[in-house]
Amino acid sequence: MTTTFKKIGVVGAGSMGSGMTMLFAEHDLEPLLPLRARTLHARVHTFKEYTPFLEFLGGKSTRKLFVFSIPHGTAADKVLADIDEYLAQGDVILDGGNEWYENARRRQEALQPRGVSYISMGVSGGYQAARRGPSISASGDKEALDAVMPLLQRFAAKDPKTGAPCVANLGPSSCGHYVKMAHNGIEQGILGIVNEAWELLYKCMHLPLDDIATMWNKWGNEGELRRHFLINIGAEICGRHHPDGPPSHVLNEVQDKVVQDADDSEGTGIWSVAEAAKRHVSAPTIAAAHFFRIASADRAQRMKVVENVGQDLGAARKQQVEDGFRGQFSEDLRLAVYCATLASFAQGLNLIARASEDEGWGVCLATCMGIWREGCIIRSEYIADVLQPALEQSGAITNVLTLRVVGEELRRTVPALRRVVALGIEWNAHIPALGASLEYLKYCAGKHLPSQFMEAELDYFGAHL
Ligand code: 6PG
């Protein structure tokens, strides 16, 4: 199979689909975008109906290339049903949505006997990366993937150090979507960690937002947090002022609730937590950040509980701190953010390794770290520099906490995380992800756990022996 595709049919004109369409147009492909007539680029053709879209793409007799950028579940099933009549031997569908891996596998298996290759393709980096170059975790039919890989390599983000494209064929079946799900789990963990660091600085220590912006810009430029995307954008968010009117920060107008999309009763966060539990992988940083997020979303219920308790149990205590202490604490916090981020990575990678073993996918964790070097939300140059070479040397392992270099990093930074968590409790700050990361590291690297007693209790009432 050679790369003969000159046109690409993009289904889904949301921010990701539109961004990818523009990028394809700049990479010598003629993108066709159905269902939404909007002028995007001189080379982009838009259609309101499927039939002219499919005819323009080549009809029934020509091999066609599609990209889906649509919500998971029934949306993709509906699109497939709508285009079914036109699908033919040699067609390739790249499903770039956040799809549940079992849905992707089901579609692969249904289409494969007809010679249609359905590629499971995680796309990360938000709409800006969709426009500039995302990180791509792909899997499925090898021959079809080999055929489209040159295109994906041109289109993907590039590692700034080596220029390597952040895309790979991770293996068979739908492991591409599984890896994207785990990426989003890690992302949720880091979002929690960074959120908690911000509260400690802003709500407890009263650091002005512009000072936090300056501090995080420095953090994001060198050392353990260099090119840590969520710190980099955190600095921008803290420093953003309203362009008009009296000086004020945009951040101060954002409400304290993080809602999931109304129709998102499932989603990558929920799947990551459920998968970790199902596959017996400890992932408390990811789970704690997820549960914090969903509790934050229900503001009305929170207000009822505050009223019922008669006080705001979550009111962070303001601190009067000396300049010297501030410097020392911010250094501890920087290392604590790094250490907890490493814990979130360890959990997500552990989940991928366990699923890969269960399903026989053979996913290489070093390759995952390679494609997460640029374009995606969890990119963090230092962590990639620590994990990728060590994983390349170690061969197949399931838990990165067993890597020598990770042991050294934890020995060096856990004390800072411990001090930050202790102060967080004293200051009544919200530290679910930081606290869970510390506990995770304590029990994963613990010689004698109190579970001895739990086991005895279980034996006592349940004949657990
Ligand atoms: C990405 C992101 C993206 C994700 C959003 C928020 O890699 O570009 O992971 O895919 O959908 O970050 O997702 P939720 O609101 O569902 O957590």
Side-chain angles (χ1 to χ4, degrees):
M1 209 189 264
T2 51
T3 320
T4 52
F5 302 108
K6 289 281 176 244
K7 294 175 182 168
I8 186 163
V10 184
V11 184
S15 53
M16 294 293 285
S18 304
M20 284 197 277
T21 304
M22 298 286 277
L23 198 56
F24 290 136
E26 286 158 10
H27 283 81
D28 295 338
L29 270 168
E30 252 184 294
L32 320 182
L33 200 62
L35 301 182
R36 195 159 341 148
R38 193 164 110 199
T39 309
L40 289 167
H41 189 282
R43 302 195 62 190
V44 178
H45 309 266
T46 57
F47 298 84
K48 284 185 180 163
E49 306 289 337
Y50 276 119
T51 307
F53 162 73
L54 291 160
E55 288 294 346
F56 196 82
L57 203 49
K60 293 180 187 173
S61 55
T62 313
R63 285 184 58 208
K64 297 175 286 306
L65 176 62
F66 296 91
V67 169
F68 288 3
S69 185
I70 43 186
H72 61 82
T74 47
D77 287 329
K78 164 108 184 43
V79 172
L80 275 173
D82 287 340
I83 65 173
D84 184 78
E85 194 197 334
Y86 277 82
L87 289 178
Q89 169 96 22
D91 286 352
V92 178
I93 299 168
L94 307 171
D95 182 357
N98 277 329
E99 186 52 276
W100 172 230
Y101 82 106
E102 284 183 352
N103 283 341
R105 179 158 60 194
R106 167 172 57 77
R107 294 184 198 125
Q108 281 174 336
E109 288 170 1
L111 291 167
Q112 192 258 339
R114 294 167 59 187
V116 176
S117 301
Y118 180 96
I119 301 298
S120 160
M121 190 176 88
V123 176
S124 174
Y127 71 95
Q128 286 154 334
R131 179 73 188 86
R132 287 198 295 256
S135 159
I136 302 173
S137 55
S139 70
D141 176 40
K142 184 172 177 322
E143 210 189 328
L145 255 172
D146 284 349
V148 294
M149 195 49 86
L151 163 71
L152 295 179
Q153 285 173 338
R154 271 193 288 148
F155 161 69
K158 307 290 177 302
D159 174 1
K161 276 189 186 164
T162 63
C166 295
V167 54
N169 175 359
L170 292 173
S173 191
S174 54
C175 63
H177 274 122
Y178 199 92
V179 168
K180 177 64 194 339
M181 175 204 76
H183 163 286
N184 284 22
I186 298 171
E187 170 188 309
Q188 188 59 73
I190 307 174
L191 279 166
I193 293 159
V194 172
N195 187 55
E196 293 162 29
W198 173 81
E199 183 186 53
L200 286 162
L201 294 171
Y202 187 56
K203 299 268 178 86
C204 298
M205 287 178 55
H206 285 293
L207 228 58
L209 284 173
D210 291 331
D211 291 6
I212 300 175
T214 307
M215 179 192 286
W216 286 19
N217 263 324
K218 202 159 170 272
W219 286 5
N221 276 334
E222 59 200 23
E224 290 82 351
L225 298 179
R226 68 172 185 260
R227 302 193 63 256
H228 180 301
F229 178 70
L230 291 169
I231 286 291
N232 294 147
I233 64 165
E236 260 188 58
I237 291 166
C238 288
R240 191 162 291 178
H241 292 252
H242 274 297
D244 317 309
S248 66
H249 287 88
V250 176
L251 180 54
N252 283 332
E253 282 155 40
V254 180
Q255 255 208 334
D256 64 341
K257 51 189 234 179
V258 187
V259 185
Q260 288 204 307
D261 286 348
D263 61 346
D264 212 2
S265 55
E266 295 171 315
T268 49
I270 296 164
W271 298 332
S272 302
V273 175
E275 276 290 299
K278 187 180 131 195
R279 295 187 192 267
H280 293 206
V281 170
S282 272
T285 307
I286 295 170
H290 175 73
F291 290 132
F292 170 80
R293 171 181 170 167
I294 56 173
S296 86
D298 195 346
R299 196 160 204 286
Q301 180 174 279
R302 281 195 279 131
M303 293 311 114
K304 272 193 208 154
V305 179
V306 170
E307 207 187 314
N308 188 37
V309 177
Q311 55 177 277
D312 178 358
L313 290 180
R317 292 196 192 108
K318 295 176 181 167
Q319 303 300 310
Q320 299 297 336
V321 296
E322 315 261 306
D323 284 354
F325 172 82
R326 188 172 297 157
Q328 191 190 318
F329 178 77
S330 73
E331 179 55 8
D332 269 353
L333 187 60
R334 188 182 71 82
L335 291 178
V337 168
Y338 162 62
C339 182
T341 302
L342 196 53
S344 193
F345 267 92
Q347 294 161 30
L349 289 167
N350 196 183
L351 181 57
I352 293 171
R354 191 64 63 79
S356 174
E357 235 174 66
D358 294 348
E359 310 281 341
W361 287 331
V363 174
C364 171
L365 299 185
T367 308
C368 294
M369 287 312 301
I371 60 173
W372 292 342
R373 277 187 169 274
E374 186 55 54
C376 69
I377 305 295
I378 63 172
R379 62 191 185 253
S380 160
E381 187 176 271
Y382 189 94
I383 288 186
D385 285 349
V386 166
L387 293 181
Q388 195 185 354
L391 283 165
E392 271 157 8
Q393 278 171 20
S394 72
I397 58 157
T398 51
N399 192 339
V400 298
L401 298 182
T402 60
L403 292 170
R404 192 181 51 79
V405 64
V406 174
E408 284 162 11
E409 289 300 280
L410 294 178
R411 225 172 15 253
R412 189 168 72 79
T413 57
V414 165
L417 176 60
R418 198 178 286 131
R419 287 191 291 271
V420 166
V421 168
L423 278 176
I425 290 171
E426 198 183 313
W427 297 352
N428 204 39
H430 300 85
I431 48 165
L434 288 169
S437 303
L438 177 62
E439 291 302 327
Y440 168 73
L441 295 170
K442 275 165 61 188
Y443 60 64
C444 284
K447 236 183 185 171
H448 301 290
L449 301 183
S451 40
Q452 164 186 11
F453 189 75
M454 191 190 293
E455 178 69 355
E457 294 257 45
L458 283 161
D459 289 345
Y460 188 94
F461 68 71
H464 199 241
L465 289 170

